[in-house]
Amino acid sequence: MPSLPLTLVVITRNEAAKIARCLDSVPFAAEKLVVDSGSTDDTVAIAQAHGARVIHQDWLGFGPQRNFATTQGRNDWMLALDADEYLSPELAEEMQQELPALMAGDLAAASLRRHTLYMGQPMRWYRPAMGEKMARLYHRNRARWSDARVHESLRFDGRSITFKAPFLHDNNPSLVEKQLKVLLYSELKCRDWLDKNKPVRMWQTPFVFALAFLKDYVFRLGFLDGWRGYTIAQTAASYAAYKRMRYYEMRRNPASRDSAAAALTRSGLDH
């Protein structure tokens, strides 16, 4: 497949089981760039074996890490994927056909539709797993990632389009990995709230839990995916409540911030 002046960017840490599939799904990228923040497994060696240029950068937070990675590419056009994501063959073909004309114009960014595999199988009804639009292709002089430590987003003002075929997300191989990610993401989100001096509103927590569960289980049609849909809704609601409880603790007991950071580091969950 002919290459295009595009840099595939993947930020990693200990993604040896997934990185090859991600890199191989974009055969038309002229450059594959992996920005690694200290893997202790075979991520770096596997990435290099699959054609990636690997550079090290200590963890900055998701938004800043992506912005750093953007500056390291050799092309102005960037495609950002996570290690547990990969293009479907249909999307790879669509992008190969459409990108030359799009990249020659004034496009700022493009969104891709993400389909999620959960507990080893595709979701069938849960709406966020059935084509969630995510801006992942962008011109680095026309777009920038937000500086959020977690739940970052691509910001741009120019014209954008959306590709039709999906890319795939092999979400959390087990609930264990999911719960570990909840701990990390909650800590990062609370740090952002501290920076902004967000007020503590613990009274909202029970209502936030209930509304988050209803949103995912009922309004986003999780109930149609059976017990997998229930699990997704319950996990999302627990995350929404836990990060508020953790923020309350951070404000009430500031010493817990350093204690938690040390515990995450000991467990290898600091990023």
Side-chain angles (χ1 to χ4, degrees):
M1 185 176 290
S3 66
L4 297 173
L6 171 78
T7 295
L8 167 65
V9 181
V10 189
I11 58 175
T12 61
R13 185 171 185 266
N14 293 337
E15 300 287 1
K18 306 168 186 174
I19 187 62
R21 180 180 60 186
C22 174
L23 295 172
D24 291 347
S25 74
V26 193
F28 52 83
E31 179 186 31
K32 298 177 182 181
L33 174 64
V34 168
V35 177
D36 189 80
S37 54
S39 291
T40 57
D41 62 7
D42 293 331
T43 297
V44 171
I46 293 172
Q48 291 172 336
H50 287 260
R53 177 168 64 97
V54 181
I55 60 177
H56 174 84
Q57 171 58 50
D58 290 341
W59 185 244
L60 303 171
F62 281 96
Q65 193 83 352
R66 291 195 192 277
N67 282 325
F68 170 81
T70 296
T71 68
Q72 302 303 303
R74 294 170 177 160
N75 301 288
D76 286 334
W77 280 98
M78 322 289 289
L79 173 63
L81 293 178
D82 293 336
D84 60 357
E85 297 172 339
Y86 53 102
L87 302 190
S88 66
E90 295 80 9
L91 180 56
E93 182 178 355
E94 181 183 0
M95 294 182 76
Q96 175 74 10
Q97 293 175 354
E98 301 293 336
L99 278 176
L102 293 174
M103 295 167 69
D106 61 352
L107 196 73
S111 294
L112 313 180
R113 298 186 181 276
R114 187 171 77 171
H115 286 190
T116 296
L117 288 78
Y118 187 70
M119 293 187 175
Q121 296 178 343
M123 300 297 285
R124 296 185 179 277
W125 295 97
Y126 178 58
R127 294 180 66 85
M130 298 301 299
E132 180 182 16
K133 288 174 59 175
M134 310 189 79
R136 293 296 188 85
L137 175 73
Y138 59 100
H139 190 290
R140 64 180 171 186
N141 295 327
R142 303 168 191 164
R144 188 179 188 279
W145 293 94
S146 65
D147 288 324
R149 289 184 176 90
V150 68
H151 304 315
E152 74 285 4
S153 60
L154 189 66
R155 307 290 177 82
F156 56 92
D157 294 324
R159 189 172 66 89
S160 67
I161 59 101
T162 301
F163 286 92
K164 296 178 181 178
F167 74 113
L168 303 174
H169 178 211
D170 193 358
N171 187 27
N172 302 311
S174 75
L175 286 175
V176 173
E177 280 96 342
K178 177 62 177 178
Q179 293 305 315
L180 294 175
K181 187 177 290 186
V182 163
L183 290 175
L184 172 61
Y185 283 13
S186 296
E187 204 70 14
L188 295 173
K189 190 63 178 178
C190 290
R191 293 281 179 169
D192 281 344
W193 287 348
L194 281 173
D195 290 346
K196 298 175 182 178
N197 197 29
K198 180 179 176 177
V200 177
R201 299 189 177 99
M202 271 296 291
W203 63 269
Q204 294 180 343
T205 302
F207 304 102
V208 166
F209 179 92
L211 291 173
F213 182 86
L214 286 173
K215 179 177 72 173
D216 277 347
Y217 193 61
V218 178
F219 300 114
R220 290 179 166 178
L221 304 182
F223 71 96
L224 293 176
D225 274 306
W227 288 114
R228 288 192 302 150
Y230 173 86
T231 303
I232 281 182
Q234 195 278 338
T235 303
S238 295
Y239 169 58
Y242 172 77
K243 64 186 175 184
R244 286 163 173 80
M245 294 186 291
R246 175 66 183 123
Y247 183 59
Y248 170 76
E249 181 184 34
M250 281 185 171
R251 295 291 295 266
R252 188 174 181 86
N253 179 22
S256 71
R257 304 172 195 175
D258 292 338
S259 175
L264 289 172
T265 299
R266 289 194 302 270
S267 303
L269 298 174
D270 49 336
H271 60 288

